[in-house]
Amino acid sequence: MAEDGFMKVSRRGVLAGGVASAAVGQASILRAQDSSTGGAAKQAKVPVRLTVNGTPQELELDSRTTLLDTLREHLKLTGSKKGCDHGQCGACTVMVNGTRINSCLSLAVQHQGDEITTIEGLGSPEDLHPMQAAFVEHDGYQCGYCTPGQICSAVAVLEEIRNGIPSHVTEDLTGRMRATEMEMRERMSGNICRCGAYSNIAEAMAQVAKG
Amino acid sequence: MEFNAPAGENLFDRAKIVGKSTPRIDGPLKVSGRAPYAAERHDVAANQAYGWIVGAGIAKGRIRAMDLDEARRAPGVIAIVAATEHEPVASSDFNYAPLFGGREVSHYHQAIAVVVAETFEQARAAAGLIRTSYTNGEGTFDLKKAAPGAPLASDRPSDSAKIGDFDAAFAAAPVKVDERYTTPDEAHAMMEPFATIAAWDGPKLTVWTSNQMIEWSRQALASILKMDADNIRVDSPYIGGGFGGKLFVRSDAVMAALGAKAAKRPVKIAMQRPLMFNNATHRHATMQRLRIGAERDGRIVAIGHENWSGNITGEAGENATLQTPKLYSGANRLIANHIAQLDLPEGNAMRAPGELPGHLALEVAMDELAEKLGMDPVELRIVNDTQGMVPGEPDTKLSDRNLTRCLREGADMFGWSKREARPGRSRKGRWLTGMGVAAGYRAAPTMKSGARVRMTDRGQLVVETDMTDIGTGTYTILAQTAAETMGLPLDAVRVELGDSSFPVSAGSGGQWGAASSTAGVYAACVALRRMIGEKLGFDADAATFDGGRATLGVESWSIRDAGALTAEDSMTFGEFKKDYDVGTYAGHFAEVKVDAYTGETYITRMLAVCDAGRILNPLSARSQVIGGMVMAAGAALTEDLHVDKRFGFFANHDLAGYEVPVHADIPHQECVFLDTLDPVSTPLKAKGVGELGICGPGAAVANAIYNATGIRVRDYPLTLDKYLDRLPAIA
Ligand code: FES
Ligand code: FES
């Protein structure tokens, strides 16, 4: 995955990306029709193997199935949310081989052999990941629908900062990167929270970043 | 139980659980992805098929033909319900434009078909094969053109009021403001789409859906589908945001029900995001005129607020004048709320309907008046606080109003005294900086609310009510209320919500939910206490419940000894409340920096000081207020549904084109609650805060931008294209 590409996506950048992704969606629908034989003919399925939260999975999928729908509809891991299906909201954020992506923008067939980590893989109600616990403590949510995506992004953002990957607001590209408030807010900006929990999410992240 | 007199000293005044910051009891489920939202309930019905809604491609007119053959032959398709082959559904008290309307199209993206297929991908692909031809009708889409001839919305005082002689007093006032403001159409843009799984069992229909008002929706579905409401169950335990957009049943539920009937299988629909903005409701655009006349000492002598908005119904609309009769004094007053008929998608309530755009205009006009007077804008508001009465309503009492405290204490906390009063004079490097203030008012209504409480023989308590938690923290405040009333620890209480088989509650809307539903749970718990008392032989009303025991004088009983018991009651609110104006109040402060070169605006600080009675859970109440502040920031700076006036639809109908605030836009936010109690509101002396948080911060941001730049933009949102060419010279 082009991890830098995802990280650098700004709010305005998403606009262009969103339009492009919509166009791709259309094209793939049309292609699917061209190749269909009409009637209720059975569509060819593609075998997909991936590992989700440590468990190997073998699936037979319609090639149009996104990674997000694979998780939600086929594996019934509904923690990853569908807010837009267009790469515009971040609710579907998961980790692929350690890098966060919008799983709605990615087809399952692109992920042969990949390691996927979803919110369910980070922790359970009885055994929360520190970031999950910090969200509860700081009330970093309201309705909870954007929350799994926020938490997956938050965990990945701190990792990106630890790894020295720069962002749009990084002031010193050669020095040691720090998890400043602006650095975190910039990197989290692909995850929309319409309930407006941003200020509390920032506090939850700062607490985890401090360790 | 009826709440028929102001609350006296009661158990909540000695509360150990209510009023304490409490992490949400549903939190661990939400943060671990285990809370099931509507479209995720694989377990509730086997063999779910997927539905895809097709929206109309015109705003008004008639469907000539729909070619469905190719779609019907497409792989995996089970059924198609199309407008050309199916009767329109009936209307309901809760929507105007039909949610599935036959050949007649009344707004863009109105549902005209649902395709049901084995998989999501198949349903989507087949829907793309439907060819629809239309005969275009004529529509009215331009509020500016329609407004001049628009009539008053009604002759109710909230739409039309004259007190004293406004015209003469305004004309004679030595200092005055007369300005016009516009606010755009806005989208709720809640993160969870409209979503429903519908399943039939003979004549019985169950919808697992995402909805704020369970009973309204059950009744609406009964009307729309011409069914007996008793045959409908609505279940909505987790709701991914609503903000008013999910007050009503929408076409996801209706089309899932019709699709499931046709497919003879349960059908799941999550409305595609790009359909939501035109298919469902939105906040109406407004045009407003504010005229305020004052004496030189700042006392308002004349205040006039006129408003114009439009709706497909030709009724209701967005009454932006709502707060104006309540916020400021002034002997001569004018309120006029006009409504035009438009053929845009149906408008309806969005968080603080009326007050959000109303504050954006009124509170900027107050800023403009303060400048003309050469007066501090905080002082101007305090001078005009209504002094213990509601202007023009001599018989109405105020229940508890502390607006002046909100403003004074807020100004202190925010460092208001450091504000440079002369606009455009505060510059730090490339940044022009400024501060702004606004007052906030939002009514605190209460509605009848019921609940059932079950005590198990192991001393656990289960609360059941059709009340909803739309992110507001309902699960937790109801558990706190039940635990407090029964004298049990919080973790002995489980709360079940959102199921129409539970007692009918107030539901979530209009910031009435928290106050009403906690009162309803209190009523049910009092009934349970009385049952326990009868069973064990003591006067429950005189006893104290604490630590799992009831104590009266020297005697004490373990409440578990009463065995398993179930009590049900509701709280109704008595006539006495009509004598009072029960409101919530806020002082909102914002600081911004504007890039002197590019005009980009960043909010650097925000503070809300809120007066809303007892705060049931300060942790989640803060979240509601800061969430409102975020949405207000969006209204001030970015949010704008652009109307295509030729074809009559909102052009930017997705989350890329409709710009809501993101992390980078929002700084640390402060929210302070005054330690007030409102005995007129409920036995808990509590009021809602969910809408108070959005009433005012947008104007505070706008006023801060003016303070920073010296440029007043009166057409929201304040995007930089509206002032870039007027920024002060850089050098
Ligand atoms: S659902 Fe993937 S970004 Fe919105
Ligand atoms: S918690 Fe509701 S959208 Fe973020």
Side-chain angles (χ1 to χ4, degrees):
Chain A
M1 293 312 311
E3 59 178 39
D4 295 20
F6 268 98
M7 285 183 8
K8 281 188 191 147
V9 168
S10 69
R11 172 74 181 127
R12 312 304 166 211
V14 166
L15 193 135
V19 172
S21 70
V24 171
Q26 284 292 76
S28 67
I29 291 168
L30 293 177
R31 263 201 308 282
Q33 266 111 50
D34 291 346
S35 63
S36 90
T37 53
K42 206 155 162 50
Q43 282 180 310
K45 294 208 169 171
V46 184
V48 177
R49 287 163 179 243
L50 30 73
T51 301
V52 181
N53 301 328
T55 307
Q57 300 284 356
E58 290 190 30
L59 298 142
E60 295 274 315
L61 296 172
D62 185 320
S63 58
R64 297 166 295 186
T65 311
T66 61
L67 178 57
L68 176 60
D69 285 326
T70 304
L71 296 168
R72 283 171 62 84
E73 306 302 332
H74 296 270
L75 298 175
K76 301 190 170 40
L77 289 170
T78 52
S80 307
K81 303 303 181 198
K82 186 184 280 191
C84 69
D85 219 9
H86 284 70
Q88 301 169 343
C89 75
C92 61
T93 305
V94 301
M95 256 87 81
V96 176
N97 304 329
T99 301
R100 63 182 167 141
I101 69 162
N102 286 343
S103 61
C104 71
L105 286 188
S106 192
L107 297 171
V109 295
Q110 295 171 271
H111 293 287
Q112 300 285 1
D114 282 351
E115 302 253 356
I116 319 291
T117 305
T118 71
I119 190 73
E120 292 95 339
L122 285 182
S124 64
E126 301 73 33
D127 182 19
L128 296 176
H129 183 280
M131 189 65 81
Q132 292 171 320
F135 267 62
V136 175
E137 183 184 338
H138 292 274
D139 216 44
Y141 52 44
Q142 284 202 62
C143 76
Y145 199 77
C146 74
T147 310
Q150 302 280 358
I151 291 173
C152 285
S153 256
V155 169
V157 158
L158 296 186
E159 188 65 22
E160 287 156 17
I161 294 172
R162 262 195 297 276
N163 292 337
I165 300 168
S167 83
H168 174 64
V169 300
T170 305
E171 285 185 8
D172 180 1
L173 294 178
T174 54
R176 205 174 101 77
M177 199 160 293
R178 291 185 312 121
T180 61
E181 199 214 339
M182 257 336 285
E183 193 68 74
M184 292 192 282
R185 277 168 53 194
E186 168 64 21
R187 290 168 192 261
M188 290 296 290
S189 287
N191 288 84
I192 294 174
C193 177
R194 185 55 160 164
C195 294
Y198 299 129
S199 180
N200 289 355
I201 293 172
E203 269 155 49
M205 286 182 70
Q207 175 174 310
V208 176
K210 270 195 220 109
Chain B
M1 183 183 285
E2 189 186 54
F3 183 60
N4 52 21
E9 163 100 17
N10 63 29
L11 69 98
F12 298 107
D13 297 317
R14 302 177 294 277
K16 293 179 178 163
I17 301 172
V18 165
K20 304 290 179 277
S21 265
T22 306
R24 290 169 201 249
I25 60 172
D26 49 331
L29 287 180
K30 283 182 171 174
V31 299
S32 63
R34 265 70 163 195
Y37 296 81
E40 301 170 354
R41 303 188 68 183
H42 290 286
D43 56 325
V44 293
N47 208 20
Q48 297 171 17
Y50 292 79
W52 181 273
I53 297 174
V54 179
I58 61 167
K60 200 162 169 63
R62 220 177 136 69
I63 297 173
R64 262 207 313 272
M66 290 178 88
D67 181 351
L68 304 163
D69 291 349
E70 209 186 335
R72 283 217 159 97
R73 286 198 311 269
V77 170
I78 304 164
I80 296 178
V81 180
T84 46
E85 299 179 348
H86 196 285
E87 298 187 0
V89 296
S91 65
S92 81
D93 292 345
F94 303 93
N95 67 294
Y96 177 85
L99 298 177
F100 179 53
R103 286 177 180 265
E104 221 51 59
V105 174
S106 46
H107 65 87
Y108 190 78
H109 275 176
Q110 186 177 24
I112 59 169
V114 61
V115 178
V116 179
E118 294 290 343
T119 71
F120 173 74
E121 294 77 22
Q122 290 169 329
R124 181 182 59 191
L129 298 173
I130 296 177
R131 305 276 170 258
T132 307
S133 57
Y134 303 92
T135 306
N136 261 304
E138 289 292 307
T140 310
F141 308 118
D142 189 344
L143 175 62
K144 275 200 185 69
K145 282 201 185 128
L152 286 169
S154 78
D155 46 20
R156 285 194 301 268
S158 56
D159 288 320
S160 170
K162 283 186 180 152
I163 296 169
D165 186 344
F166 171 79
D167 289 330
F170 183 71
V175 183
K176 52 191 145 194
V177 164
D178 178 358
E179 294 294 352
R180 290 173 183 270
Y181 306 84
T182 64
T183 63
D185 295 287
E186 290 180 0
H188 306 84
M190 68 300 265
M191 291 309 301
E192 182 203 21
F194 298 102
T196 298
I197 298 169
W200 293 87
D201 178 8
K204 290 190 185 293
L205 170 68
T206 303
V207 292
W208 295 272
T209 190
S210 183
N211 192 287
Q212 302 174 223
M213 298 292 297
I214 301 304
E215 181 60 12
W216 288 7
S217 297
R218 197 174 70 100
Q219 296 299 340
L221 273 176
S223 306
I224 289 166
L225 300 173
K226 299 198 184 111
M227 293 175 60
D228 183 346
D230 289 344
N231 280 334
I232 299 175
R233 179 175 160 227
V234 177
D235 189 32
S236 187
Y238 292 95
I239 297 145
F243 313 113
K246 292 178 182 164
L247 285 169
F248 316 104
V249 150
R250 299 301 308 172
S251 60
D252 57 307
V254 172
M255 300 313 278
L258 296 179
K261 187 156 244 180
K264 302 190 175 59
R265 265 171 71 175
V267 167
K268 160 158 72 182
I269 295 178
M271 191 184 290
Q272 56 270 33
R273 177 64 62 176
L275 209 66
M276 290 173 62
F277 295 72
N278 286 284
N279 176 281
T281 62
H282 63 279
R283 186 197 296 282
H284 327 65
T286 70
M287 297 165 55
Q288 302 178 49
R289 183 185 188 190
L290 258 303
R291 282 178 287 173
I292 312 177
E295 299 289 0
R296 291 195 192 285
D297 63 5
R299 278 179 304 120
I300 294 172
V301 291
I303 182 163
H305 194 166
E306 292 158 277
N307 179 69
W308 291 262
S309 67
N311 201 356
I312 192 169
T313 57
E315 291 173 11
E318 189 86 19
N319 184 358
T321 70
L322 288 177
Q323 67 293 321
T324 305
K326 303 294 173 71
L327 261 177
Y328 301 119
S329 54
N332 303 285
R333 313 180 72 93
L334 166 73
I335 289 290
N337 176 39
H338 307 263
I339 180 81
Q341 199 280 327
L342 294 179
D343 296 300
L344 289 170
E346 186 162 347
N348 210 316
M350 177 170 150
R351 200 174 199 172
E355 291 97 344
L356 176 274
H359 282 78
L360 287 172
L362 172 65
E363 288 303 287
V364 169
M366 287 296 282
D367 205 57
E368 304 201 44
L369 180 64
E371 189 178 30
K372 285 200 170 165
L373 287 160
M375 194 169 170
D376 184 276
V378 172
E379 288 309 312
L380 174 65
R381 287 170 170 86
I382 290 171
V383 164
N384 289 292
D385 193 358
T386 60
Q387 319 301 342
M389 45 119 37
V390 182
E393 295 181 37
D395 298 333
T396 304
K397 293 175 265 191
L398 290 172
S399 62
D400 187 49
R401 171 172 167 133
N402 302 280
L403 177 62
T404 293
R405 265 189 73 192
C406 293
L407 290 162
R408 279 227 194 285
E409 293 178 27
D412 280 351
M413 281 179 243
F414 203 65
W416 183 257
S417 59
K418 297 200 187 71
R419 170 179 176 267
E420 164 61 63
R422 295 166 305 165
R425 294 295 187 85
S426 180
R427 174 98 185 249
K428 289 188 195 111
R430 67 184 295 151
W431 302 107
L432 299 163
T433 64
M435 288 189 210
V437 64
Y441 169 86
R442 216 281 166 182
T446 42
M447 308 238 291
K448 181 182 176 188
S449 198
R452 181 158 62 220
V453 285
R454 293 192 284 118
M455 192 172 73
T456 69
D457 47 16
R458 297 170 55 206
Q460 301 280 310
L461 199 69
V462 183
V463 178
E464 294 171 338
T465 163
D466 85 353
M467 182 60 194
T468 49
D469 188 328
I470 58 174
T472 37
T474 312
Y475 279 104
T476 311
I477 57 171
L478 296 190
Q480 288 174 282
T481 303
E484 192 75 57
T485 310
M486 298 310 300
L488 290 169
L490 191 66
D491 60 11
V493 183
R494 199 174 82 224
V495 178
E496 304 275 352
L497 299 179
D499 187 332
S500 63
S501 65
F502 298 154
V504 174
S505 72
S508 298
Q511 111 169 353
W512 63 63
S516 309
S517 65
T518 49
V521 167
Y522 168 70
C525 287
V526 169
L528 181 63
R529 284 163 56 133
R530 288 178 185 160
M531 287 171 91
I532 294 170
E534 255 167 52
K535 200 91 184 270
L536 301 180
F538 64 88
D539 176 3
D541 289 357
T544 307
F545 286 68
D546 193 15
R549 300 190 70 80
T551 306
L552 190 56
V554 293
E555 279 191 281
S556 168
W557 299 264
S558 164
I559 64 172
R560 263 176 73 172
D561 292 345
L565 290 171
T566 300
E568 183 175 331
D569 199 3
S570 56
M571 185 64 78
T572 55
F573 296 90
E575 286 290 307
F576 87 99
K577 291 191 82 170
K578 294 213 171 80
D579 298 340
Y580 291 89
D581 187 63
V582 186
T584 59
Y585 310 88
H588 289 288
F589 296 81
E591 181 188 73
V592 301
K593 59 179 186 179
V594 179
D595 190 313
Y597 297 88
T598 68
E600 286 167 279
T601 293
Y602 294 86
I603 301 172
T604 48
R605 289 194 297 140
M606 292 181 99
L607 165 69
V609 179
C610 301
D611 168 29
R614 187 190 310 281
I615 300 302
L616 301 162
N617 181 359
L619 186 62
S620 55
R622 167 188 154 84
S623 289
Q624 286 199 71
V625 173
I626 66 170
M629 292 156 76
V630 169
M631 208 176 269
L637 296 178
T638 58
E639 292 183 37
D640 188 356
L641 282 172
H642 292 270
V643 180
D644 184 317
K645 299 192 183 79
R646 302 159 305 165
F647 299 113
F649 69 102
F650 300 123
N652 50 337
H653 51 79
D654 63 22
L655 289 171
Y658 186 79
E659 295 189 335
V660 304
V662 301
H663 281 271
D665 299 321
I666 301 299
H668 175 74
Q669 294 169 317
E670 288 291 346
C671 166
V672 174
F673 296 107
L674 298 185
D675 55 344
T676 56
L677 298 172
D678 194 330
V680 176
S681 181
T682 79
L684 286 83
K685 306 174 187 173
K687 299 183 276 198
V689 295
E691 303 198 340
L692 180 62
I694 200 174
C695 293
V701 168
N703 292 335
I705 293 176
Y706 176 75
N707 182 240
T709 62
I711 306 167
R712 188 71 77 177
V713 179
R714 300 183 185 86
D715 296 307
Y716 289 95
L718 309 190
T719 47
L720 58 82
D721 53 296
K722 293 172 184 160
Y723 57 81
L724 184 60
D725 57 348
R726 288 185 280 158
L727 280 177
I730 288 163

